Amino acid sequence: MKTVADVRDRARAGVRDVVLDAAREVTLDQGWRAVRIGALATQVGLSRQSVHLVFGTKAQLGSDLVHREIDQLLTGIGAALDAHPGDPLACIREAATVTLTSMAENPLLQIIISGGGDEDLLALLTSRGDWILRQATELLHTWAARELPDVEPARIESMAEPVVRLCLSHGVTPTQPIPDAVDSLVRISCLLIGLPDPGP
């Protein structure tokens, strides 16, 4: 049986998603600086107070917007890692490709990276992006521990974070075409966990 708290939480979640969708739309059209909580409230048919109760401040709204985008990215990466059971090299290649392609093609992330958001939003992907590193590393580590039972846990531990760092770094500041970057990430991953070099 649903409690009053359950109903309230569902209502807040509904408000949150509607406002985040509106904020994303405005950011894509006009940039993050054009986002105003009062205007968003009017756009989605809510009171300003209702929106403030969910987000508090514009900074929190921006943080939640970026977190939601990255959560969706991580979901895609998780699916990629599970796409080729029994073939870890194919899984790593798929995950790296999904990561770099998604970051390159995601219009909101590209606006933020290119400076169309603001410094606080960019910092959530860079200088304050430890939360992304932590979640992505845990995702890769969990997959490797399950799919590579013959690899020593310490070796998996030493592989996961460096590979994630390299992948995210290329996603934010690409220095080579995605296929070349994917090849590099696959070879580095193999080297660190002791799998055969996949070759060129």
Side-chain angles (χ1 to χ4, degrees):
M1 181 176 179
K2 294 179 181 178
T3 65
V4 173
D6 291 333
V7 173
R8 183 170 59 245
D9 289 344
R10 288 192 62 183
R12 285 172 64 88
V15 170
R16 180 179 181 276
D17 286 339
V18 167
V19 175
L20 288 176
D21 287 345
R24 189 180 194 275
E25 181 181 333
V26 173
T27 302
L28 293 180
D29 289 343
Q30 305 172 48
W32 176 249
R33 292 178 182 84
V35 173
R36 299 287 183 272
I37 286 184
L40 289 179
T42 300
Q43 180 179 334
V44 300
L46 296 168
S47 69
R48 183 186 182 98
Q49 182 181 11
S50 296
V51 177
H52 272 294
L53 285 173
V54 176
F55 296 103
T57 64
K58 182 181 175 180
Q60 184 60 52
L61 172 65
S63 177
D64 286 2
L65 183 62
V66 173
H67 275 73
R68 186 178 72 162
E69 214 73 15
I70 295 300
D71 284 346
Q72 293 170 352
L73 173 63
L74 292 174
T75 297
I77 295 170
L81 285 171
D82 292 333
H84 304 281
D87 190 344
L89 289 185
C91 291
I92 293 170
R93 180 173 295 279
E94 181 92 5
T97 301
V98 166
T99 302
L100 298 182
T101 302
S102 296
M103 292 187 72
E105 295 179 353
N106 183 299
L108 179 62
L109 294 181
Q110 285 305 306
I111 283 177
I112 295 171
I113 291 169
S114 66
D118 69 6
E119 292 183 2
D120 286 339
L121 292 188
L122 180 59
L124 289 170
L125 300 178
T126 54
S127 60
R128 300 206 310 272
D130 56 308
W131 61 280
I132 306 174
L133 177 65
R134 184 171 59 254
Q135 291 182 41
T137 298
E138 181 179 351
L139 182 65
L140 180 57
H141 185 280
T142 299
W143 168 84
R146 184 184 70 243
E147 297 296 324
L148 302 168
D150 295 333
V151 177
E152 296 178 2
R155 197 154 195 172
I156 291 175
E157 187 80 29
S158 67
M159 175 275 296
E161 184 173 326
V163 168
V164 170
R165 282 186 182 275
L166 286 171
C167 197
L168 292 177
S169 176
H170 183 88
V172 173
T173 53
T175 57
Q176 57 186 151
I178 288 176
D180 294 341
V182 169
D183 287 342
S184 297
L185 287 164
V186 171
R187 297 189 70 173
I188 291 169
S189 299
C190 290
L191 176 65
L192 291 175
I193 56 181
L195 294 177
D197 189 324

PDB file of all heavy atoms in Angstrom, residues 102-126:
ATOM      1  N   SER A 102      29.054   8.464 -27.861  1.00  0.00           N
ATOM      2  CA  SER A 102      27.963   9.117 -27.137  1.00  0.00           C
ATOM      3  C   SER A 102      28.369  10.508 -26.661  1.00  0.00           C
ATOM      4  O   SER A 102      27.590  11.460 -26.763  1.00  0.00           O
ATOM      5  CB  SER A 102      27.531   8.260 -25.940  1.00  0.00           C
ATOM      6  OG  SER A 102      27.004   7.027 -26.370  1.00  0.00           O
ATOM      7  N   MET A 103      29.598  10.632 -26.143  1.00  0.00           N
ATOM      8  CA  MET A 103      30.058  11.942 -25.680  1.00  0.00           C
ATOM      9  C   MET A 103      30.191  12.910 -26.842  1.00  0.00           C
ATOM     10  O   MET A 103      29.866  14.094 -26.720  1.00  0.00           O
ATOM     11  CB  MET A 103      31.378  11.804 -24.922  1.00  0.00           C
ATOM     12  CG  MET A 103      31.244  11.073 -23.599  1.00  0.00           C
ATOM     13  SD  MET A 103      32.755  11.080 -22.601  1.00  0.00           S
ATOM     14  CE  MET A 103      32.783  12.807 -22.053  1.00  0.00           C
ATOM     15  N   ALA A 104      30.645  12.413 -27.989  1.00  0.00           N
ATOM     16  CA  ALA A 104      30.826  13.287 -29.151  1.00  0.00           C
ATOM     17  C   ALA A 104      29.500  13.714 -29.759  1.00  0.00           C
ATOM     18  O   ALA A 104      29.391  14.802 -30.325  1.00  0.00           O
ATOM     19  CB  ALA A 104      31.673  12.576 -30.202  1.00  0.00           C
ATOM     20  N   GLU A 105      28.487  12.849 -29.639  1.00  0.00           N
ATOM     21  CA  GLU A 105      27.206  13.118 -30.295  1.00  0.00           C
ATOM     22  C   GLU A 105      26.140  13.660 -29.360  1.00  0.00           C
ATOM     23  O   GLU A 105      25.052  14.020 -29.813  1.00  0.00           O
ATOM     24  CB  GLU A 105      26.695  11.833 -30.967  1.00  0.00           C
ATOM     25  CG  GLU A 105      27.599  11.355 -32.102  1.00  0.00           C
ATOM     26  CD  GLU A 105      27.096  10.075 -32.751  1.00  0.00           C
ATOM     27  OE1 GLU A 105      26.121   9.482 -32.230  1.00  0.00           O
ATOM     28  OE2 GLU A 105      27.685   9.683 -33.774  1.00  0.00           O
ATOM     29  N   ASN A 106      26.431  13.706 -28.064  1.00  0.00           N
ATOM     30  CA  ASN A 106      25.455  14.224 -27.108  1.00  0.00           C
ATOM     31  C   ASN A 106      25.483  15.751 -27.150  1.00  0.00           C
ATOM     32  O   ASN A 106      26.477  16.370 -26.757  1.00  0.00           O
ATOM     33  CB  ASN A 106      25.784  13.729 -25.694  1.00  0.00           C
ATOM     34  CG  ASN A 106      24.756  14.175 -24.667  1.00  0.00           C
ATOM     35  OD1 ASN A 106      24.550  15.366 -24.446  1.00  0.00           O
ATOM     36  ND2 ASN A 106      24.119  13.224 -24.018  1.00  0.00           N
ATOM     37  N   PRO A 107      24.416  16.394 -27.616  1.00  0.00           N
ATOM     38  CA  PRO A 107      24.469  17.851 -27.801  1.00  0.00           C
ATOM     39  C   PRO A 107      24.635  18.625 -26.504  1.00  0.00           C
ATOM     40  O   PRO A 107      25.320  19.654 -26.483  1.00  0.00           O
ATOM     41  CB  PRO A 107      23.125  18.169 -28.474  1.00  0.00           C
ATOM     42  CG  PRO A 107      22.230  17.020 -28.129  1.00  0.00           C
ATOM     43  CD  PRO A 107      23.113  15.827 -28.035  1.00  0.00           C
ATOM     44  N   LEU A 108      24.044  18.142 -25.407  1.00  0.00           N
ATOM     45  CA  LEU A 108      24.184  18.856 -24.143  1.00  0.00           C
ATOM     46  C   LEU A 108      25.615  18.786 -23.633  1.00  0.00           C
ATOM     47  O   LEU A 108      26.191  19.809 -23.229  1.00  0.00           O
ATOM     48  CB  LEU A 108      23.223  18.295 -23.093  1.00  0.00           C
ATOM     49  CG  LEU A 108      23.302  18.970 -21.713  1.00  0.00           C
ATOM     50  CD1 LEU A 108      22.939  20.450 -21.820  1.00  0.00           C
ATOM     51  CD2 LEU A 108      22.382  18.263 -20.727  1.00  0.00           C
ATOM     52  N   LEU A 109      26.205  17.603 -23.657  1.00  0.00           N
ATOM     53  CA  LEU A 109      27.592  17.470 -23.202  1.00  0.00           C
ATOM     54  C   LEU A 109      28.528  18.297 -24.066  1.00  0.00           C
ATOM     55  O   LEU A 109      29.476  18.910 -23.563  1.00  0.00           O
ATOM     56  CB  LEU A 109      28.019  16.003 -23.212  1.00  0.00           C
ATOM     57  CG  LEU A 109      27.305  15.081 -22.220  1.00  0.00           C
ATOM     58  CD1 LEU A 109      27.856  13.658 -22.322  1.00  0.00           C
ATOM     59  CD2 LEU A 109      27.447  15.595 -20.785  1.00  0.00           C
ATOM     60  N   GLN A 110      28.268  18.352 -25.358  1.00  0.00           N
ATOM     61  CA  GLN A 110      29.130  19.129 -26.238  1.00  0.00           C
ATOM     62  C   GLN A 110      29.005  20.626 -25.977  1.00  0.00           C
ATOM     63  O   GLN A 110      29.992  21.360 -26.053  1.00  0.00           O
ATOM     64  CB  GLN A 110      28.812  18.802 -27.701  1.00  0.00           C
ATOM     65  CG  GLN A 110      29.347  17.461 -28.163  1.00  0.00           C
ATOM     66  CD  GLN A 110      30.838  17.326 -27.943  1.00  0.00           C
ATOM     67  OE1 GLN A 110      31.625  18.167 -28.392  1.00  0.00           O
ATOM     68  NE2 GLN A 110      31.242  16.274 -27.249  1.00  0.00           N
ATOM     69  N   ILE A 111      27.798  21.086 -25.667  1.00  0.00           N
ATOM     70  CA  ILE A 111      27.621  22.500 -25.319  1.00  0.00           C
ATOM     71  C   ILE A 111      28.426  22.831 -24.057  1.00  0.00           C
ATOM     72  O   ILE A 111      29.113  23.857 -23.975  1.00  0.00           O
ATOM     73  CB  ILE A 111      26.134  22.827 -25.106  1.00  0.00           C
ATOM     74  CG1 ILE A 111      25.435  22.957 -26.458  1.00  0.00           C
ATOM     75  CG2 ILE A 111      25.955  24.116 -24.300  1.00  0.00           C
ATOM     76  CD1 ILE A 111      23.948  23.210 -26.365  1.00  0.00           C
ATOM     77  N   ILE A 112      28.339  21.940 -23.069  1.00  0.00           N
ATOM     78  CA  ILE A 112      29.059  22.167 -21.813  1.00  0.00           C
ATOM     79  C   ILE A 112      30.569  22.168 -22.051  1.00  0.00           C
ATOM     80  O   ILE A 112      31.300  23.049 -21.599  1.00  0.00           O
ATOM     81  CB  ILE A 112      28.676  21.107 -20.766  1.00  0.00           C
ATOM     82  CG1 ILE A 112      27.197  21.248 -20.397  1.00  0.00           C
ATOM     83  CG2 ILE A 112      29.549  21.237 -19.519  1.00  0.00           C
ATOM     84  CD1 ILE A 112      26.670  20.108 -19.539  1.00  0.00           C
ATOM     85  N   ILE A 113      31.054  21.161 -22.790  1.00  0.00           N
ATOM     86  CA  ILE A 113      32.490  21.026 -23.038  1.00  0.00           C
ATOM     87  C   ILE A 113      33.029  22.198 -23.842  1.00  0.00           C
ATOM     88  O   ILE A 113      34.141  22.682 -23.605  1.00  0.00           O
ATOM     89  CB  ILE A 113      32.771  19.692 -23.765  1.00  0.00           C
ATOM     90  CG1 ILE A 113      32.506  18.507 -22.828  1.00  0.00           C
ATOM     91  CG2 ILE A 113      34.206  19.643 -24.287  1.00  0.00           C
ATOM     92  CD1 ILE A 113      32.498  17.164 -23.517  1.00  0.00           C
ATOM     93  N   SER A 114      32.220  22.687 -24.786  1.00  0.00           N
ATOM     94  CA  SER A 114      32.681  23.770 -25.660  1.00  0.00           C
ATOM     95  C   SER A 114      32.556  25.151 -25.026  1.00  0.00           C
ATOM     96  O   SER A 114      32.946  26.150 -25.627  1.00  0.00           O
ATOM     97  CB  SER A 114      31.899  23.741 -26.973  1.00  0.00           C
ATOM     98  OG  SER A 114      30.530  24.049 -26.743  1.00  0.00           O
ATOM     99  N   GLY A 115      31.987  25.220 -23.815  1.00  0.00           N
ATOM    100  CA  GLY A 115      31.876  26.500 -23.132  1.00  0.00           C
ATOM    101  C   GLY A 115      30.529  27.162 -23.253  1.00  0.00           C
ATOM    102  O   GLY A 115      30.349  28.298 -22.811  1.00  0.00           O
ATOM    103  N   GLY A 116      29.564  26.460 -23.841  1.00  0.00           N
ATOM    104  CA  GLY A 116      28.234  27.041 -23.985  1.00  0.00           C
ATOM    105  C   GLY A 116      27.391  26.924 -22.730  1.00  0.00           C
ATOM    106  O   GLY A 116      26.296  27.467 -22.663  1.00  0.00           O
ATOM    107  N   GLY A 117      27.892  26.191 -21.739  1.00  0.00           N
ATOM    108  CA  GLY A 117      27.213  26.128 -20.444  1.00  0.00           C
ATOM    109  C   GLY A 117      27.820  27.202 -19.560  1.00  0.00           C
ATOM    110  O   GLY A 117      27.802  28.373 -19.893  1.00  0.00           O
ATOM    111  N   ASP A 118      28.386  26.819 -18.447  1.00  0.00           N
ATOM    112  CA  ASP A 118      29.170  27.760 -17.673  1.00  0.00           C
ATOM    113  C   ASP A 118      30.255  26.980 -16.953  1.00  0.00           C
ATOM    114  O   ASP A 118      30.339  25.754 -17.063  1.00  0.00           O
ATOM    115  CB  ASP A 118      28.308  28.586 -16.711  1.00  0.00           C
ATOM    116  CG  ASP A 118      27.733  27.756 -15.578  1.00  0.00           C
ATOM    117  OD1 ASP A 118      28.057  26.561 -15.430  1.00  0.00           O
ATOM    118  OD2 ASP A 118      26.950  28.319 -14.807  1.00  0.00           O
ATOM    119  N   GLU A 119      31.115  27.670 -16.232  1.00  0.00           N
ATOM    120  CA  GLU A 119      32.264  27.009 -15.618  1.00  0.00           C
ATOM    121  C   GLU A 119      31.845  25.958 -14.604  1.00  0.00           C
ATOM    122  O   GLU A 119      32.514  24.927 -14.462  1.00  0.00           O
ATOM    123  CB  GLU A 119      33.174  28.054 -14.965  1.00  0.00           C
ATOM    124  CG  GLU A 119      33.869  28.967 -15.975  1.00  0.00           C
ATOM    125  CD  GLU A 119      34.819  29.937 -15.303  1.00  0.00           C
ATOM    126  OE1 GLU A 119      34.953  29.868 -14.074  1.00  0.00           O
ATOM    127  OE2 GLU A 119      35.438  30.741 -16.020  1.00  0.00           O
ATOM    128  N   ASP A 120      30.753  26.207 -13.891  1.00  0.00           N
ATOM    129  CA  ASP A 120      30.315  25.231 -12.890  1.00  0.00           C
ATOM    130  C   ASP A 120      29.877  23.925 -13.547  1.00  0.00           C
ATOM    131  O   ASP A 120      30.174  22.838 -13.041  1.00  0.00           O
ATOM    132  CB  ASP A 120      29.164  25.801 -12.049  1.00  0.00           C
ATOM    133  CG  ASP A 120      29.650  26.847 -11.063  1.00  0.00           C
ATOM    134  OD1 ASP A 120      30.855  26.846 -10.750  1.00  0.00           O
ATOM    135  OD2 ASP A 120      28.828  27.665 -10.616  1.00  0.00           O
ATOM    136  N   LEU A 121      29.163  24.008 -14.661  1.00  0.00           N
ATOM    137  CA  LEU A 121      28.747  22.797 -15.358  1.00  0.00           C
ATOM    138  C   LEU A 121      29.952  22.068 -15.935  1.00  0.00           C
ATOM    139  O   LEU A 121      30.044  20.841 -15.852  1.00  0.00           O
ATOM    140  CB  LEU A 121      27.752  23.127 -16.473  1.00  0.00           C
ATOM    141  CG  LEU A 121      26.373  23.645 -16.065  1.00  0.00           C
ATOM    142  CD1 LEU A 121      25.473  23.717 -17.293  1.00  0.00           C
ATOM    143  CD2 LEU A 121      25.732  22.768 -15.006  1.00  0.00           C
ATOM    144  N   LEU A 122      30.881  22.815 -16.524  1.00  0.00           N
ATOM    145  CA  LEU A 122      32.082  22.188 -17.077  1.00  0.00           C
ATOM    146  C   LEU A 122      32.888  21.508 -15.975  1.00  0.00           C
ATOM    147  O   LEU A 122      33.429  20.414 -16.176  1.00  0.00           O
ATOM    148  CB  LEU A 122      32.942  23.237 -17.785  1.00  0.00           C
ATOM    149  CG  LEU A 122      34.244  22.728 -18.419  1.00  0.00           C
ATOM    150  CD1 LEU A 122      33.952  21.643 -19.451  1.00  0.00           C
ATOM    151  CD2 LEU A 122      35.011  23.890 -19.056  1.00  0.00           C
ATOM    152  N   ALA A 123      32.944  22.140 -14.814  1.00  0.00           N
ATOM    153  CA  ALA A 123      33.701  21.559 -13.699  1.00  0.00           C
ATOM    154  C   ALA A 123      33.137  20.211 -13.269  1.00  0.00           C
ATOM    155  O   ALA A 123      33.868  19.340 -12.798  1.00  0.00           O
ATOM    156  CB  ALA A 123      33.709  22.522 -12.512  1.00  0.00           C
ATOM    157  N   LEU A 124      31.824  20.021 -13.437  1.00  0.00           N
ATOM    158  CA  LEU A 124      31.214  18.735 -13.085  1.00  0.00           C
ATOM    159  C   LEU A 124      31.722  17.605 -13.973  1.00  0.00           C
ATOM    160  O   LEU A 124      31.645  16.428 -13.597  1.00  0.00           O
ATOM    161  CB  LEU A 124      29.692  18.824 -13.194  1.00  0.00           C
ATOM    162  CG  LEU A 124      28.988  19.662 -12.126  1.00  0.00           C
ATOM    163  CD1 LEU A 124      27.523  19.878 -12.499  1.00  0.00           C
ATOM    164  CD2 LEU A 124      29.079  18.974 -10.766  1.00  0.00           C
ATOM    165  N   LEU A 125      32.239  17.952 -15.146  1.00  0.00           N
ATOM    166  CA  LEU A 125      32.813  16.950 -16.047  1.00  0.00           C
ATOM    167  C   LEU A 125      34.327  16.874 -15.944  1.00  0.00           C
ATOM    168  O   LEU A 125      34.922  15.914 -16.436  1.00  0.00           O
ATOM    169  CB  LEU A 125      32.442  17.273 -17.500  1.00  0.00           C
ATOM    170  CG  LEU A 125      30.959  17.321 -17.851  1.00  0.00           C
ATOM    171  CD1 LEU A 125      30.791  17.698 -19.315  1.00  0.00           C
ATOM    172  CD2 LEU A 125      30.289  15.985 -17.571  1.00  0.00           C
ATOM    173  N   THR A 126      34.944  17.877 -15.317  1.00  0.00           N
ATOM    174  CA  THR A 126      36.411  17.934 -15.303  1.00  0.00           C
ATOM    175  C   THR A 126      36.957  17.978 -13.876  1.00  0.00           C
ATOM    176  O   THR A 126      37.135  16.941 -13.251  1.00  0.00           O
ATOM    177  CB  THR A 126      36.893  19.149 -16.123  1.00  0.00           C
ATOM    178  OG1 THR A 126      36.255  20.346 -15.631  1.00  0.00           O
ATOM    179  CG2 THR A 126      36.532  18.990 -17.594  1.00  0.00           C
TER     180      THR A 126
END
